[in-house]
């Protein structure tokens, strides 16, 4: 199995933590992990992007048009990183609704059979009083939709492994919340592509 | 929610599984390097932080704790200091590693050059992390050239796993030939992440034992010539060893029909291999991977070139391998214009280089990667590039705002750290290298003063940068009668690179207690007579103080005026803001002039375009209350004030 994931957002949104979650997940699935992260100046509110490749790879970077999944925690960063997705790939974006997304770009995505799923992870996370958990909410959401080959139990196991003790409870809550929302919308897909 | 700014290594599993033998962990490249240091049985580790090297030392600290080791680890005041401390350990027979970013090696180069001649006893490995791009540096310099310049061997890893293995080999080589050895990971290795196989630790019981030998350790110029000749002999032996080595230097693919050969190294090798796989070009192209770029295994290279019609050299960042090749008649590379002279070699970049060369040689017709329809559409969106900015509530913003306000016409000589981002506030005119905030300020002063013009000059420098290289610059300025205002932005930490402690904090690398070196005494010791300390959150008072400072610096009996603007970094010490929150709100007096956005630029303030006012994003706001002083209309006020008003 080979899976290439891009995580995009801005400094402070927990991209590196999300990257850790996926790499531990890969390890649990018995896969080789290769990837790349942004550290340094950009962590002060600049664009932060993590490449994660599960399976046999040598290069730490994902090429344009090669990613299976894009998680974007910020709208503008989505536009900047869509190029990584392959035809038939899927993008989960932290956004209230796909209606907000640029229409002409949506058209191109449709041509390439790229699915776009928008979910207001920040809003959901603030409901449980932890806006910084939006990253986990969005990941939970993606698993809930059933569109990615990741098991809820595995994700939970990994979160228990990598969360700091004081964050664990809220992280699990965020995961559950996102997951249920994902499940709900997949039963009733409404507007996606 | 994620962990704090420092992000690496061991986690709860270590409680479950103690010092695993065949354990696999996903490690950041720098953490893998730290693991290599530990597996090599290294006794002493020193460093000054700098992207992309900063995660190495904290990871060594974690491994030390996890494995109960006795490693001595220090954050040194600067890279030269780090180098010398590591070297001394090596002279006592211990193994030592010193880590830095590539420009840090400039600072340590004096010691590197000299110790290449005198050599080492215990293994000494220099880890110098390069930054092609550059992503977070002032130059793209190639540390391998420094190794060549100093005449010491260099290893060039392609992956975190390989970096870990190479470290161990570097220590062996260093001891075998009594020579310092350089490991040069690029940022894509240091900040790559890989599932890495751990190995058991080497246990080396060594007691410090410095054997006196002044002829060698205090060599006079006459004996230096002898040492230089010896060094050349040593290099010859090492190069013979590298000729035979197949672990770091090896060929992939031995297709006799292949007319093109590629010699490559570092992450370019990894990128290239994935591309050749993807494009099914493995029977058309043979690859020679070089892990020891200096001294170069010349015979292997010549033999490889011999077997191919043309040979392309793909290396980052400069032409270290290419320039060493003796017969270049069949070689394509930077020197023939086939590889860009600047910037990182991305996978797409390598793809396009390949396409060009394959077309030129008539081997294959590979389509180049050009901007897609999507790229063009997105370009048209004209998205604002999100530039890094000082955090909401950052004390440096408050200081810069006050400086701009008090001395709008001054020359602002600044330095390297989070506060370089004072650029956005237009309160930074120069950033050269570590310590140059003060030296450029004194130089500016002398150049103007020579013409009998005394203009206001403000030098800004962080606390860590001042400890790194501020004192020599400052005492020089005092000694030579320079006059300017020095503002030390003291956030009590090395923030930009991931919150390393400074000598001002009195905590050492592994969290144990160190002696505090108070900034004020240090500045005083440099001969400065006028020193004031203030919290930059008190913007109005700081403006007043800056004006006094200017007056002092221009007075007949005056001199350099120093202000220590002290307020803890709110990312490292969030509790400080939580203790005394000043919740602010924006009143109807806001007329959308955007002054606060343009000249204060707190990321928690944003324009509400519909209502033509500015709003506060509570998700970002840390209740520092500084923006109250930033609004010229007085439209930003503390919340309780309004609540109290009706009483
Ligand atoms: S990390 Fe600290 S010093 Fe750096 S910008 Fe943020 S608040 Fe300022
Ligand atoms: S109080 Fe004002 S300056 Fe401080 S973080 Fe909030 S908006 Fe920014």
């Amino acid at each position: 199995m080979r899976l290439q994931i891009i995580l995009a957002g801005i400094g402070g949104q927990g991209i590196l933590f999300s990257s850790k979650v996926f790499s531990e997940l890969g390890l649990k699935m018995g896969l080789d992990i290769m990837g790349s992260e942004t550290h340094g100046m950009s962590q002060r509110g600049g664009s932060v992007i993590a490449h994660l490749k599960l399976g046999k790879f040598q290069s730490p970077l994902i090429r344009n048009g090669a990613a299976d999944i894009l998680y974007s925690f910020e709208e503008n960063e989505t536009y900047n990183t869509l190029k990584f997705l392959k035809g038939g790939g899927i993008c989960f974006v932290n956004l209230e609704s796909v209606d907000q997304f640029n229409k002409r770009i949506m058209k191109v995505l449709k041509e390439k059979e790229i699915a776009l799923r928008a979910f207001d992870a920040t809003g959901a996370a603030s409901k449980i009083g932890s806006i910084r958990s939006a990253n986990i909410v969005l990941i939970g959401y993606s698993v809930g939709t059933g569109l990615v080959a990741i098991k809820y139990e595995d994700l939970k196991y990994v979160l228990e492994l990598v969360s700091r003790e004081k964050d664990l409870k809220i992280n699990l809550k965020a995961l559950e919340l996102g997951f249920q929302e994902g499940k709900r919308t997949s039963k009733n897909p409404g507007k996606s592509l | 929610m994620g962990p704090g700014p420092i992000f690496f290594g061991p986690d709860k599993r270590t409680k479950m599984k103690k010092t695993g033998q065949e354990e696999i962990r996903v490690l950041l490249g720098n953490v893998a390097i730290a693991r290599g240091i530990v597996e090599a049985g290294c006794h002493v580790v020193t460093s000054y932080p700098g992207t992309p090297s900063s995660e190495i030392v904290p990871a060594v600290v974690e491994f030390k704790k996890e494995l109960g080791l006795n490693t001595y680890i220090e954050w040194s005041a600067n890279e030269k200091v780090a180098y010398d401390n590591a070297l001394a350990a090596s002279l006592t027979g211990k193994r030592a590693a010193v880590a830095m970013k590539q420009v840090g090696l400039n600072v340590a180069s004096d010691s590197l050059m000299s110790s290449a001649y005198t050599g080492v006893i215990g293994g000494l490995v220099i880890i110098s992390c390069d930054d092609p791009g550059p992503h977070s540096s002032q130059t793209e310099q190639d540390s391998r050239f420094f190794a060549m310049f100093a005449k010491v061997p260099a290893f060039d890893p392609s992956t975190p796993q390989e970096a870990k293995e190479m470290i161990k080999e570097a220590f062996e080589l260093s001891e075998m030939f009594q020579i310092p050895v350089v490991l040069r990971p690029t940022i894509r290795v240091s900040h790559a992440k890989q599932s890495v196989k751990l190995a058991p630790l080497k246990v080396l019981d060594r007691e410090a034992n410095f054997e006196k030998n002044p002829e060698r350790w205090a060599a006079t110029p006459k004996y230096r010539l002898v040492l230089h000749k010896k060094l050349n002999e040593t290099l010859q032996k090492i190069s013979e060893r590298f000729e035979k080595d197949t672990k770091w230097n090896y060929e992939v693919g031995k297709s006799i029909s292949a007319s093109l050969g590629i010699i490559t190294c570092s992450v370019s090798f990894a990128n290239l291999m994935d591309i050749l796989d993807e494009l099914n070009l493995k029977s058309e192209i043979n690859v020679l991977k070089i892990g020891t770029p200096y001294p170069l295994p010349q015979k292997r290279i010549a033999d490889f070139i011999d077997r191919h019609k043309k040979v392309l050299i793909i290396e980052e960042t400069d032409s270290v391998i290419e320039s060493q090749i003796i017969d270049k008649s069949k070689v394509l590379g930077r020197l023939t214009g086939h590889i860009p002279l600047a910037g990182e070699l991305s996978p797409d970049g390598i793809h396009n280089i390949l396409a060009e060369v394959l077309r030129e040689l008539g081997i294959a017709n590979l389509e180049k990667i050009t901007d897609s329809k999507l790229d063009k559409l997105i370009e048209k969106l004209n998205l604002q590039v999100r530039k890094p900015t000082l955090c909401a509530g950052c004390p440096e913003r408050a200081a810069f705002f006050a400086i701009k306000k008090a001395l709008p016409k001054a020359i602002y000589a600044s330095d390297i750290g989070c506060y370089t981002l004072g650029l956005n506030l237009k309160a930074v005119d120069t950033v050269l290298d570590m310590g140059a905030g003060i030296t450029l300020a004194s130089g500016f002063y002398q150049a103007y003063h020579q013409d009998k013009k005394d203009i206001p000059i403000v030098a800004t420098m962080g606390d860590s940068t001042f400890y790194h290289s501020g004192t020599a610059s400052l005492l020089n300025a005092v000694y030579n009668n320079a006059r300017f205002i020095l503002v030390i932005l003291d956030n009590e930490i090395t923030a930009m690179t991931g919150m390393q402690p400074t000598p001002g904090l009195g905590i050492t690398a592994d969290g144990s207690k160190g002696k505090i070196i108070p900034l004020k005494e240090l500045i005083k010791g440099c001969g400065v007579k006028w020193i004031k300390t203030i919290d930059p959150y008190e913007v109005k008072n700081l403006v007043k103080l800056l004006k006094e400072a200017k007056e002092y610096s221009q007075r007949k009996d005056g001199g350099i005026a120093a202000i220590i603007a002290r307020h803890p970094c709110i990312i490292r010490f969030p509790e400080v803001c939580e203790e005394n929150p000043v919740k602010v709100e924006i009143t109807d007096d806001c007329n959308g002039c955007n002054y606060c956005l343009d000249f204060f630029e707190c990321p928690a303030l944003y324009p509400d375009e519909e209502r033509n006012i500015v709003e506060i994003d509570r998700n970002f706001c840390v209740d520092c209350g500084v923006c109250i002083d930033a609004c010229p209309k007085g439209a930003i006020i503390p919340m309780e004030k309004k609540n109290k008003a009706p009483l």
Side-chain angles (χ1 to χ4, degrees):
Chain A
M1 180 185 171
R2 303 217 309 178
L3 190 64
Q4 307 196 52
I5 304 171
I6 294 275
L7 300 154
I10 53 176
Q13 285 187 318
I15 308 291
L16 300 189
F17 184 73
S18 310
S19 152
K20 181 154 188 164
V21 168
F22 280 110
S23 49
E24 290 297 335
L25 205 61
L27 206 56
K28 185 161 190 296
M29 292 156 88
L31 300 169
D32 286 344
I33 315 294
M34 197 52 155
S36 175
E37 293 177 348
T38 314
H39 290 251
M41 193 181 257
S42 290
Q43 279 173 280
R44 303 277 167 271
S47 305
V48 172
I49 175 165
H51 300 230
L52 216 65
K53 301 162 96 171
L54 313 187
K56 292 255 173 277
F57 293 97
Q58 303 214 39
S59 163
L61 297 171
I62 294 178
R63 295 190 63 188
N64 289 349
D68 301 282
I69 314 174
L70 163 65
Y71 287 95
S72 176
F73 302 103
E74 205 265 353
E75 187 186 354
N76 277 0
E77 295 306 318
T78 320
Y79 296 118
N80 286 328
T81 45
L82 275 173
K83 58 170 188 261
F84 284 110
L85 276 175
K86 66 174 190 195
I90 179 160
C91 167
F92 295 97
V93 53
N94 178 13
L95 193 68
E96 274 154 43
S97 140
V98 282
D99 295 339
Q100 287 163 268
F101 216 73
N102 182 291
K103 294 284 163 320
R104 291 177 60 194
I105 290 175
M106 291 262 277
K107 224 180 104 206
V108 182
L109 295 185
K110 200 162 190 172
E111 281 165 23
K112 298 174 114 192
E113 289 176 15
I114 289 173
L116 181 74
R117 286 304 195 100
F119 176 61
D120 181 14
T122 305
S126 70
K127 265 187 229 143
I128 55 169
S130 174
I131 176 147
R132 291 188 58 215
S133 305
N135 54 346
I136 308 294
V137 174
L138 192 67
I139 294 169
Y141 173 85
S142 73
V143 175
T145 60
L147 294 168
V148 298
I150 293 167
K151 288 201 214 85
Y152 176 82
E153 287 69 34
D154 288 351
L155 205 53
K156 193 170 160 222
Y157 165 86
V158 167
L159 272 183
E160 280 165 359
L161 193 69
V162 300
S163 297
R164 286 189 301 193
E165 230 140 279
K166 70 180 179 72
D167 299 337
L168 179 59
K169 240 173 99 187
I170 196 77
N171 281 350
L172 291 178
K173 216 163 143 187
L175 173 67
E176 169 74 23
L177 177 74
F179 180 73
Q180 293 304 344
E181 283 295 324
K183 249 168 83 177
R184 206 170 53 80
T185 49
S186 72
K187 273 193 215 118
N188 176 13
K191 236 185 257 160
S192 117
L193 270 176
Chain B
M1 199 170 281
I6 303 171
F7 184 76
F8 51 81
D11 50 49
K12 289 171 202 158
R13 241 167 328 177
T14 54
K15 282 179 212 148
M16 301 177 217
K17 207 193 229 167
K18 197 72 192 162
T19 69
Q21 302 278 304
E22 261 296 287
E23 193 185 333
I24 293 177
R25 285 193 203 169
V26 183
L27 301 182
L28 194 67
N30 279 343
V31 180
I33 287 170
R35 177 73 197 193
I37 291 173
V38 168
E39 286 180 7
C42 179
H43 307 88
V44 169
V45 182
T46 64
S47 176
Y48 183 81
T51 311
S53 75
S54 310
E55 298 83 8
I56 297 172
V57 158
V60 177
V61 171
E62 294 290 327
F63 284 123
K64 170 182 172 166
K65 286 184 187 154
E66 177 192 336
L67 303 163
L69 305 172
N70 182 33
T71 325
Y72 173 75
I73 309 164
E74 81 168 37
W75 281 127
S76 310
N78 66 35
E79 294 84 353
K80 182 205 152 31
V81 173
Y83 192 102
D84 294 354
N85 275 281
L87 177 67
S90 145
L91 299 192
T92 72
K94 297 191 177 188
R95 286 194 167 182
V98 51
M100 60 196 74
K101 69 181 296 178
Q102 90 285 35
V103 293
L105 194 53
N106 298 342
V107 179
S109 62
D110 214 356
S111 303
L112 171 68
M113 305 301 284
S114 179
S115 62
Y117 279 32
T118 51
V120 305
I121 301 291
L124 176 68
V125 178
I126 301 120
I127 301 143
S128 179
C129 303
D130 280 1
D131 186 11
H135 296 264
S136 215
S137 304
Q138 59 267 43
T139 72
E140 290 194 294
Q141 66 191 68
D142 190 324
S143 296
R144 298 174 307 161
F145 263 134
F146 243 127
M148 201 170 147
F149 187 23
K151 295 194 168 181
V152 301
F155 284 91
D156 193 3
S158 298
T159 61
Q161 177 86 52
E162 196 182 35
K164 178 171 87 79
E165 304 315 321
M166 276 183 172
I167 286 261
K168 297 198 270 183
E169 174 82 6
F171 272 110
E172 296 298 329
L173 192 79
S174 171
E175 269 171 18
M176 202 179 300
F177 294 98
Q178 300 209 344
I179 190 170
V181 178
V182 170
L183 180 88
R184 187 291 294 247
T186 60
I187 189 165
R188 296 295 182 194
V189 173
S190 279
H191 291 167
K193 225 175 149 168
Q194 190 185 11
S195 36
V196 170
K197 242 190 228 130
L198 306 191
L201 316 189
K202 194 170 186 140
V203 183
L204 294 172
D205 279 323
R206 290 192 189 169
E207 270 178 26
N209 178 24
F210 173 63
E211 281 179 26
K212 293 193 184 196
N213 181 0
E215 262 204 350
R216 182 174 175 192
W217 306 127
T220 52
K222 202 166 150 205
Y223 194 62
R224 288 268 164 177
L225 178 64
V226 179
L227 289 177
H228 189 181
K229 285 179 180 159
K230 265 197 181 159
L231 174 60
N232 291 334
E233 283 163 24
T234 305
L235 276 177
Q236 185 52 41
K237 282 186 208 135
I238 294 174
S239 116
E240 277 158 27
R241 194 182 150 92
F242 285 169
E243 288 287 1
K244 280 186 244 121
D245 162 85
T246 50
K247 192 163 177 201
W248 318 115
N249 304 315
Y250 54 86
E251 285 184 40
V252 187
K254 285 244 174 178
S255 160
I256 349 171
S257 60
S259 51
L260 177 66
I262 297 180
I263 300 175
T264 183
C265 61
S266 69
V267 79
S268 301
F269 168 74
N271 288 334
L272 178 71
M273 291 320 287
D274 277 0
I275 292 172
L276 295 184
D277 239 358
E278 211 182 291
L279 302 174
N280 246 326
L281 280 171
K282 280 196 162 150
S283 57
E284 261 79 39
I285 299 170
N286 292 332
V287 175
L288 171 61
K289 176 197 173 350
I290 293 293
T292 62
Y294 186 82
L296 194 65
Q298 291 283 6
K299 289 194 199 102
R300 295 271 292 280
I301 301 252
D303 169 65
F304 184 78
I305 294 177
D306 212 43
R307 284 186 277 120
H308 296 89
K309 239 161 88 193
K310 284 281 175 192
V311 168
L312 174 68
I313 318 283
I314 305 180
E315 59 180 324
E316 257 181 346
T317 321
D318 225 314
S319 309
V320 174
I321 294 177
E322 192 181 346
S323 62
Q324 289 182 79
I325 294 176
I326 299 158
D327 180 359
K328 296 191 183 69
S329 54
K330 290 207 249 167
V331 171
L332 312 175
R334 266 192 198 89
L335 304 178
T336 56
H338 288 85
I339 309 268
L341 291 170
E344 191 176 5
L345 292 177
S346 66
D348 282 355
I350 292 178
H351 178 113
N352 285 350
I353 291 167
L354 216 52
E356 190 67 47
V357 170
L358 290 177
R359 191 190 48 79
E360 207 178 294
L361 302 180
I363 296 174
N365 225 338
L366 186 63
E367 219 175 291
K368 271 198 179 184
I369 294 171
T370 47
D371 277 3
S372 68
K373 198 163 149 192
L374 190 64
D375 293 325
K376 282 176 197 142
L377 270 179
I378 284 165
E379 201 170 308
K380 271 198 217 128
L381 286 182
N382 247 332
L383 296 175
Q384 110 194 52
V385 212
R386 213 176 261 276
K387 23 176 207 188
T389 157
L390 295 166
C391 303
C394 174
E396 329 293 38
R397 169 179 295 103
F400 280 125
F401 184 75
I403 292 169
K404 278 287 295 190
K405 205 148 192 172
L407 304 159
K409 296 224 170 74
I411 296 180
Y412 308 116
S414 192
D415 224 298
I416 291 175
C418 283
Y419 57 96
T420 300
L421 298 172
L423 271 168
N424 301 355
L425 282 104
K426 302 187 178 53
V428 167
D429 290 327
T430 64
V431 175
L432 181 69
D433 60 20
M434 294 287 283
I438 292 176
T439 37
L440 288 191
S442 68
F444 282 136
Y445 171 81
Q446 306 293 12
Y448 278 93
H449 183 69
Q450 193 171 37
D451 306 344
K452 307 221 161 18
K453 280 188 203 136
D454 283 331
I455 56 154
I457 300 163
V458 183
T460 44
M461 186 178 281
D463 47 336
S464 184
T465 311
F466 186 73
Y467 290 114
H468 177 283
S469 47
T471 46
S473 334
L474 184 56
L475 65 87
N476 171 72
V478 174
Y479 165 55
N480 289 299
N481 298 313
R483 288 168 176 234
F484 52 88
I485 301 156
L486 169 63
V487 181
I488 302 278
L489 303 162
D490 181 10
N491 59 2
E492 302 181 347
I493 206 85
T494 318
M496 172 59 89
T497 50
M499 309 299 167
Q500 296 79 14
T502 70
L505 202 64
I507 299 171
T508 67
D510 62 6
S512 59
K513 226 174 143 226
K515 301 259 184 323
I516 295 179
I517 314 292
L519 263 179
K520 193 169 175 179
E521 284 175 32
L522 205 54
I523 296 170
K524 205 168 142 197
C526 292
V528 177
K529 296 275 180 298
W530 194 99
I531 310 167
K532 307 275 161 155
T533 304
I534 188 172
D535 183 337
Y537 270 24
E538 299 170 24
V539 174
K540 283 197 183 108
N541 291 337
L542 179 54
V543 170
K544 235 169 71 200
L545 197 61
L546 280 159
K547 288 184 178 156
E548 282 169 34
K550 177 185 165 218
E551 204 231 321
Y552 173 79
S553 73
Q554 294 182 336
R555 215 160 72 195
K556 213 163 160 238
D557 61 340
I560 291 172
I563 296 175
I564 301 173
R566 174 173 299 149
H567 192 100
C569 161
I570 52 112
I571 297 298
R572 176 63 184 80
F573 307 99
E575 50 305 341
V576 179
C577 263
E578 284 156 17
E579 266 164 26
N580 270 316
V582 184
K583 231 186 169 55
V584 298
E585 64 181 326
I586 298 185
T587 67
D588 297 342
D589 292 340
C590 173
N591 67 353
C593 73
N594 283 1
Y595 180 89
C596 59
L597 300 179
D598 297 339
F599 299 98
F600 187 66
E601 67 123 38
C602 173
L605 297 169
Y606 68 95
D608 182 334
E609 266 139 30
E610 264 162 45
R611 290 163 58 212
N612 193 31
I613 53 164
V614 165
E615 280 279 18
I616 296 169
D617 185 340
R618 299 283 169 200
N619 296 323
F620 287 110
C621 177
V622 298
D623 302 332
C624 72
V626 176
C627 51
I628 296 171
D629 292 317
C631 175
K633 313 256 167 8
I636 307 181
I637 60 163
M639 253 183 180
E640 67 266 42
K641 211 167 180 178
K642 198 171 132 197
N643 293 344
K644 272 180 206 150
L647 291 179

